[in-house]
């Protein structure tokens, strides 16, 4: 990040989403691995995106108009390193998956 003077750098692994098996495609192929499902790929992209920090919780808020907002709770220990990048993370995730996401750093409760 030193050479990119102020720009945020993100590494995301290349992942493949396999289509959901239907009656036509079910009999000829192998079972689809869980890691190739849409939900698993989107979760893995989110993990890659916030890498130094750890995701400690997720919430889905469904608005009155039916649209969804994903709230991702990140580890409070990494707040100083990551807080200024959360807007970038949201924009990248929206571009890759089409889902809106916000990042929060909740107080740890026992």
């Amino acid at each position: 990040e030193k050479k990119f003077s102020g720009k945020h750098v993100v590494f995301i692994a290349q992942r493949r989403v396999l289509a959901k098996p239907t009656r036509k495609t079910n009999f000829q192929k192998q079972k689809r691995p869980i890691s190739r499902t849409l939900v698993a790929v989107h979760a893995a992209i989110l993990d890659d995106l916030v890498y130094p920090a750890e995701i400690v919780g997720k919430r889905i808020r469904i608005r009155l108009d039916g649209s969804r907002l994903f709230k991702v709770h990140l580890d409070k220990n990494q707040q100083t390193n990551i807080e200024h990048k959360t807007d970038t993370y949201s924009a990248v995730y929206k571009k890759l998956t089409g889902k809106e996401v916000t990042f929060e750093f909740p107080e740890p409760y026992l």
Side-chain angles (χ1 to χ4, degrees):
E1 289 189 13
K2 287 181 181 176
K3 293 185 178 181
F4 293 112
S5 68
K7 293 187 171 67
H8 299 151
V9 178
V10 175
F11 291 104
I12 298 174
Q14 183 177 4
R15 292 193 167 79
R16 182 173 302 279
V17 176
L18 294 179
K20 189 173 184 180
T22 60
R23 289 192 172 133
K24 290 180 183 175
T25 61
N26 219 3
F27 68 95
Q28 62 212 19
K29 291 190 201 162
Q30 295 176 332
K31 187 176 185 305
R32 175 175 68 158
I34 298 295
S35 63
R36 305 284 196 286
T37 62
L38 185 77
V39 174
V41 168
H42 285 187
I45 287 173
L46 195 58
D47 283 338
D48 287 350
L49 202 57
V50 299
Y51 165 63
E54 207 173 305
I55 295 174
V56 294
K58 294 179 189 173
R59 304 286 184 272
I60 301 174
R61 178 166 188 262
I62 300 177
R63 298 192 189 109
L64 286 172
D65 63 350
S67 61
R68 294 176 173 206
L69 174 66
F70 290 83
K71 292 184 178 183
V72 177
H73 298 170
L74 299 176
D75 195 7
K76 191 98 170 127
N77 300 340
Q78 293 287 332
Q79 184 171 4
T80 54
N81 302 341
I82 290 187
E83 194 167 28
H84 61 282
K85 298 180 185 177
T86 55
D87 292 335
T88 304
Y89 291 163
S90 297
V92 170
Y93 192 73
K94 171 84 170 160
K95 188 76 171 172
L96 291 175
T97 65
K99 295 178 180 175
E100 284 184 48
V101 67
T102 58
F103 297 97
E104 299 172 350
F105 298 92
E107 293 292 329
Y109 47 88
L110 301 171

